[in-house]
Amino acid sequence: MEHVERIKQILYAYVTAGLIERDVDKAVAYMVDDVIGVGMGEQGFASSKEALRTIMQTTMKQEKQAEEQAEYQAEYQDVKVVLHTEISASVYAKITLKKICKEQTSLSRFIQLLTLVFREGDWYICATYAIPQGLTEESIETYPMAFADQTLKQLRAELRDSTFELMNASLSGGIFGVYVVDGKYPLYFLNDSVARMLGYSKEEFENTFREDLSEVIYQEDKEYVKYHLERRIPEEEDYTLRFRLRKKDGSLVWIIEHGRQTIDKEGRRVLISVVTDISDIVELQNNLEDKTALLEEQADELTAQNEELQMQSDSIAEQARRIAVSEERFRIALQNTSNIIFEYDLIHNTILYTDLTDGAKDIVISREAAGNHFLADGTLTEDSVREIQHILNQIQEGALQKDCIVQAKNIQGEVGWYRISLTGIPDEHAVVTRAVGLIADITRQREAEIANEQEEQYHQAVLADVMATYTINFSKDIFESCQVHDVRCEEVPPNTPYQAYMEQVSLKRMSEHDRSAFLNTLTKGSVLDAFEQGKKELEVEYQVLNPDGTNVWMKDILRLLTDSTTRERKGYLYVKNVDNDKKKSLALQQKAERDSLTGVYNKGATQKYISEKLATLDGIKTGVMMILDIDHFKKVNDTYGHLFGDEVLQQIGDILRNYARATDIVGRIGGDEFCAFFRGIRTHQSVKALAKTICSQVEQIQTPMPGGITLSCSIGITVCDGEQKTFEQVYKEADDALYVVKGAGRNGTAFYEDGK
């Protein structure tokens, strides 16, 4: 509770400083240095305290230039604090900001969501969000995490792009991806290297060939590429093609394409390719062929030509070696996905390149401290450091691929799990001197695995945790023995009559409904019938009354057997406490029956429960069915938008619930149509008074703009006074009455009898 109140104080102080007092320094004092701001300024995003300070100062300066000094007041609604862990939390609030300028008042409403971390004895803002109006309270707890996942994925994608660009520096080519759609190849992505290779800027290339990348393929090579991509490659995973592309200036470039096909999350076929400019090699090969022919015609120049050919061959071999090394890097990058990619020099213990932050690049790593730098200067356990050293040794001894899982504390002080994979790269002498490394953050996966293990252990413990075990002889109708492990179960002496005892227990500790189910399953007659039917097990769940007045859900499991010697029919009765699981199940059932927007019953549950009520009606027990429809609801949506329309539906659900008792049913059965069933004897006067009160409450719902549309509703009513009717019948009667109201101009009530 202390943390919750402190977090609320920070929310109020932050809003007051930034929006009321307009004191930027005071507002950012509540933030960490690496705070993230979303929905801030024209760019919509800021990634540090200084960036946020600049945005806020610029905004205030523009306001001062646009108008005279204004006075601000803030009102808060629905302030909610969610503690995610001991050091992370979120606070949510609806805020109305009143602005008074030149004796004119204007209002603006927004939702403020802050994410905070606990550091050095106090809470600080680490992220401030501009929240869509459609965000529901149920999604508040997951929204910051979902936003963090999305942001991290974006940042990591940017980091991977920089790594690929670093690797591309040693290649004449790059990476691109395309979709395969109806004989066309829409652009999926590309890096700057591909665009530069063809004489375009990246933006110019994307605008020109976004719809179909095949337009850049040389006309004579298009059928060759199409044949392989659409007929041969779909049966394979990886492929290699060699063809020509047309540059912006009209010239041609020969490329070799190493690709891999995959399927994106929407089921579309995607090709990811590494391309290399081999024009020089092709030209050299063509020259080689020409000069070989020339050698056959000019025997007298054989010696000179041989020397020249040897030089060209050496040049080709060197270029091929460089291409092979670069292609190996891309092959490894394509086969593995990770948050961090780096290349490590095993001889000098040096990181050659990495996509970590700039401060962690090009660090000389000692064998003792290697792990600390692999994870962005995080701190590893001793066991984790030993794991990293072990796989480094194995790679250096000739192993081509090794990985390990380590636990580390990152620079924010948060402990996580990481998988480090190393792939050895041999040099021209087949000696492994370098390794490409991949570091994947598997914290969420590992925590899920641990949680699943703990959940499974708990589940097994519940199954094994029997409150009591009874041995029963059904042929003699007696208890033979018992083992009781819980005070809520009774010791039953041997030879106690079974049938009489079960009836006594059910009368003493169970409700009428549970007693019926209990006895129908476990009475002697029911059990003997089960024996005849060949059943091996019977189960029944019920609630019992504890001495303290509370109810607890229990389950009886009766295992049936026949004594092989005496042929007597016996059973082992296991009593288990299933209170937690049962209540969770009932809660999920209730949630499935509720309308997600208004919280009242949905259409299916409404029909089910009203049908049950109707089945119990007689001359004494009566009921009233009402159908409520919002007048001109489409005009409300068109005028104020669907968000306000949804808010109206929520308020009407609240109004109906306020006048419903525990025995009444309130549900939403259509877009703006509600249904209510009130149990009990009611006179026409009292029913009509209730309906008018509901109409009056609807008229009091405030619209966003003063003087706008006045809300109203129409209500059709039918009285169920004992005659057995189905839901369909009473619904039609109330609906007919509703149309009487609409025909009379809406905004009123009518009984079914009035419209006959």
Side-chain angles (χ1 to χ4, degrees):
M1 185 60 67
E2 177 183 350
H3 287 302
V4 170
E5 292 305 317
R6 177 53 182 160
I7 290 170
K8 288 182 179 179
Q9 291 175 3
I10 291 176
L11 167 68
Y12 301 146
Y14 168 67
V15 173
T16 299
L19 298 180
I20 307 300
E21 300 175 355
R22 302 287 165 148
D23 189 333
V24 175
D25 292 335
K26 188 175 179 181
V28 300
Y30 297 101
M31 303 175 182
V32 297
D33 290 339
D34 54 351
V35 65
I36 293 175
V38 178
M40 305 293 292
E42 294 180 357
Q43 69 273 36
F45 180 81
S47 58
S48 69
K49 181 191 290 187
E50 290 307 314
L52 274 172
R53 184 197 303 273
T54 301
I55 291 172
M56 294 170 71
Q57 289 174 337
T58 302
T59 301
M60 292 181 188
K61 182 177 180 181
Q62 292 172 347
E63 290 179 353
K64 289 180 179 179
Q65 292 174 347
E67 61 183 27
E68 297 179 2
Q69 189 69 24
E71 178 184 347
Y72 297 88
Q73 299 174 1
E75 296 180 358
Y76 300 83
Q77 288 183 300
D78 299 337
V79 179
K80 180 175 180 180
V81 175
V82 178
L83 294 173
H84 301 292
T85 66
E86 293 180 354
I87 62 170
S88 66
S90 296
V91 58
Y92 161 93
K94 295 180 180 177
I95 300 177
T96 300
L97 188 65
K98 180 184 294 184
K99 178 179 178 182
I100 304 173
C101 182
K102 296 180 179 178
E103 297 183 355
Q104 295 183 352
T105 300
S106 60
L107 299 178
S108 59
R109 296 181 175 88
F110 62 96
I111 293 176
Q112 179 70 61
L113 179 59
L114 304 176
T115 302
L116 303 95
V117 293
F118 191 76
R119 293 183 181 175
E120 300 177 357
D122 202 357
W123 290 92
Y124 292 91
I125 300 169
C126 64
T128 172
Y129 308 89
I131 304 303
Q133 289 291 334
L135 188 68
T136 63
E137 285 199 29
E138 288 77 4
S139 64
I140 292 170
E141 295 191 33
T142 60
Y143 182 86
M145 299 303 177
F147 173 80
D149 287 347
Q150 180 181 356
T151 303
L152 290 175
K153 288 176 182 176
Q154 177 184 349
L155 294 177
R156 289 169 182 157
E158 294 171 357
L159 294 174
R160 285 197 293 273
D161 287 344
S162 64
T163 301
F164 290 146
E165 289 299 322
L166 186 60
M167 291 191 286
N168 286 340
S170 61
L171 277 178
S172 178
I175 304 175
F176 73 90
V178 297
Y179 296 103
V180 180
V181 181
D182 298 329
K184 292 187 177 182
Y185 308 98
L187 185 62
Y188 176 53
F189 80 94
L190 83 158
N191 63 355
D192 290 333
S193 299
V194 175
R196 288 197 302 269
M197 179 179 70
L198 299 175
Y200 296 86
S201 68
K202 184 177 179 181
E203 181 179 2
E204 183 181 12
F205 187 94
E206 289 177 341
N207 292 335
T208 305
F209 303 107
R210 181 180 302 278
E211 300 299 326
D212 189 2
L213 194 63
S214 67
E215 295 300 319
V216 78
I217 301 174
Y218 182 49
Q219 185 65 35
E220 294 181 8
D221 294 344
K222 283 188 177 182
E223 286 300 319
Y224 161 81
V225 175
K226 182 176 181 180
Y227 170 79
H228 283 79
L229 293 184
E230 297 186 10
R231 296 190 180 182
R232 294 187 58 189
I233 294 175
E235 302 175 359
E236 305 170 356
E237 183 176 0
D238 298 328
Y239 64 92
T240 300
L241 298 177
R242 173 174 159 168
F243 54 96
R244 288 164 289 185
L245 301 177
R246 183 173 296 281
K247 299 174 69 173
K248 183 178 180 180
D249 61 8
S251 62
L252 300 179
V253 56
W254 278 94
I255 62 108
I256 185 168
E257 175 184 352
H258 297 280
R260 167 168 294 178
Q261 64 172 333
T262 184
I263 302 297
D264 71 2
K265 64 182 181 181
E266 297 180 7
R268 297 175 296 185
R269 183 176 167 217
V270 178
L271 304 178
I272 309 297
S273 303
V274 176
V275 296
T276 305
D277 183 349
I278 59 170
S279 298
D280 291 342
I281 296 176
V282 173
E283 183 179 356
L284 288 172
Q285 290 174 340
N286 291 336
N287 289 340
L288 182 59
E289 293 173 0
D290 293 340
K291 290 179 181 179
T292 299
L294 186 61
L295 284 174
E296 295 175 353
E297 298 174 1
Q298 300 176 346
D300 57 334
E301 297 178 5
L302 181 60
T303 301
Q305 291 288 346
N306 281 338
E307 292 176 352
E308 183 178 357
L309 288 173
Q310 184 60 49
M311 293 175 59
Q312 292 177 352
S313 178
D314 291 343
S315 175
I316 292 172
E318 177 60 21
Q319 291 189 45
R321 188 193 69 79
R322 291 199 302 268
I323 292 172
V325 171
S326 297
E327 288 180 350
E328 182 69 6
R329 295 177 185 170
F330 285 112
R331 182 187 66 79
I332 294 170
L334 284 171
Q335 290 178 345
N336 299 273
T337 301
S338 178
N339 298 336
I340 303 172
I341 304 174
F342 63 92
E343 184 176 348
Y344 190 71
D345 185 336
L346 295 168
I347 303 301
H348 302 96
N349 289 331
T350 303
I351 290 181
L352 300 178
Y353 68 86
T354 177
D355 64 353
L356 295 171
T357 58
D358 291 340
K361 291 181 179 178
D362 304 323
I363 299 175
V364 177
I365 303 175
S366 66
R367 299 309 297 268
E368 292 77 19
N372 289 337
H373 297 291
F374 275 122
L375 294 174
D377 293 330
T379 302
L380 286 84
T381 64
E382 293 182 4
D383 290 341
S384 296
V385 173
R386 284 194 293 269
E387 287 288 336
I388 295 175
Q389 292 173 347
H390 180 62
I391 65 172
L392 283 170
N393 291 335
Q394 289 180 304
I395 292 294
Q396 211 163 24
E397 291 168 2
L400 292 181
Q401 200 281 327
K402 288 292 178 181
D403 59 35
C404 65
I405 294 177
V406 300
Q407 193 175 23
K409 184 183 294 183
N410 62 21
I411 55 178
Q412 284 80 31
E414 301 165 341
V415 176
W417 292 89
Y418 302 85
R419 175 180 285 110
I420 300 179
S421 300
L422 290 177
T423 301
I425 300 179
D427 61 12
E428 62 271 17
H429 304 296
V431 177
V432 178
T433 60
R434 296 176 297 112
V436 170
L438 304 166
I439 301 177
D441 184 344
I442 61 170
T443 302
R444 298 182 67 183
Q445 171 188 338
R446 183 61 181 154
E447 288 177 348
E449 292 173 355
I450 294 172
N452 287 337
E453 292 171 1
Q454 293 173 343
E455 183 66 23
E456 180 63 22
Q457 292 172 358
Y458 171 79
H459 181 62
Q460 294 299 328
V462 169
L463 289 178
D465 185 17
V466 177
M467 300 170 65
T469 305
Y470 301 89
T471 305
I472 305 158
N473 187 322
F474 291 103
S475 297
K476 296 181 179 180
D477 190 29
I478 60 171
F479 285 89
E480 290 187 341
S481 64
C482 70
Q483 292 180 332
V484 176
H485 311 293
D486 192 293
V487 295
R488 286 171 290 190
C489 296
E490 296 180 354
E491 293 275 354
V492 181
N495 297 317
T496 298
Y498 170 80
Q499 178 73 17
Y501 177 82
M502 299 297 273
E503 292 177 353
Q504 176 188 348
V505 168
S506 65
L507 285 169
K508 182 171 63 176
R509 303 186 63 189
M510 298 180 194
S511 66
E512 180 181 352
H513 178 271
D514 287 335
R515 184 185 312 122
S516 176
F518 178 84
L519 294 177
N520 286 340
T521 304
L522 297 181
T523 56
K524 178 182 176 182
S526 298
V527 174
L528 293 177
D529 288 341
F531 271 107
E532 294 298 328
Q533 296 170 22
K535 295 181 179 179
K536 299 297 183 183
E537 186 175 280
L538 298 176
E539 289 186 3
V540 62
E541 291 181 348
Y542 53 92
Q543 289 187 92
V544 297
L545 183 64
N546 286 325
D548 61 359
T550 60
N551 288 320
V552 60
W553 280 96
M554 300 173 70
K555 176 192 282 189
D556 282 5
I557 303 173
L558 179 61
R559 297 286 296 175
L560 304 178
L561 57 93
T562 301
D563 192 295
S564 59
T565 303
T566 65
R567 307 307 299 170
E568 292 178 336
R569 292 177 170 179
K570 296 185 177 182
Y572 293 105
L573 181 63
Y574 301 95
V575 182
K576 294 175 177 284
N577 183 344
V578 295
D579 191 66
N580 287 338
D581 290 342
K582 187 65 176 179
K583 288 177 179 176
K584 288 179 182 178
S585 175
L586 292 174
L588 289 174
Q589 177 184 345
Q590 184 181 26
K591 184 176 181 180
E593 294 176 342
R594 295 289 176 175
D595 175 60
S596 60
L597 178 63
T598 63
V600 300
Y601 285 119
N602 57 32
K603 182 177 181 180
T606 301
Q607 180 172 351
K608 171 187 172 184
Y609 289 122
I610 292 180
S611 297
E612 291 176 358
K613 297 288 185 183
L614 290 171
T616 65
L617 298 184
D618 52 28
I620 299 175
K621 298 177 180 178
T622 62
V624 172
M625 175 82 156
M626 292 186 183
I627 295 180
L628 181 148
D629 188 86
I630 304 171
D631 297 332
H632 307 295
F633 186 67
K634 183 179 184 303
K635 185 176 181 181
V636 174
N637 276 334
D638 293 342
T639 303
Y640 302 113
H642 287 278
L643 288 178
F644 177 74
D646 289 348
E647 184 176 345
V648 169
L649 295 175
Q650 292 170 349
Q651 292 190 46
I652 290 178
D654 293 339
I655 291 170
L656 291 174
R657 272 200 302 263
N658 289 339
Y659 291 97
R661 304 158 302 174
T663 57
D664 300 332
I665 306 297
V666 175
R668 181 184 175 198
I669 54 178
D672 63 327
E673 188 173 82
F674 291 78
C675 178
F677 184 89
F678 298 94
R679 179 87 175 269
I681 302 174
R682 294 177 182 270
T683 64
H684 268 50
Q685 291 79 4
S686 61
V687 173
K688 190 171 184 179
L690 174 60
K692 286 188 174 181
T693 300
I694 292 173
C695 289
S696 175
Q697 291 289 313
V698 172
E699 291 178 354
Q700 294 178 29
I701 296 176
Q702 297 296 314
T703 57
M705 295 181 295
I709 298 173
T710 299
L711 295 176
S712 64
C713 67
S714 301
I715 299 178
I717 309 167
T718 185
V719 178
C720 309
D721 55 2
E723 179 184 354
Q724 287 293 324
K725 293 182 180 179
T726 65
F727 174 84
E728 289 76 14
Q729 288 175 309
V730 297
Y731 177 87
K732 184 178 184 307
E733 291 176 359
D735 194 54
D736 288 345
L738 177 64
Y739 274 90
V740 171
V741 180
K742 290 185 176 181
R746 293 182 171 83
N747 190 18
T749 65
F751 285 81
Y752 170 68
E753 292 81 2
D754 298 338
K756 284 185 177 179

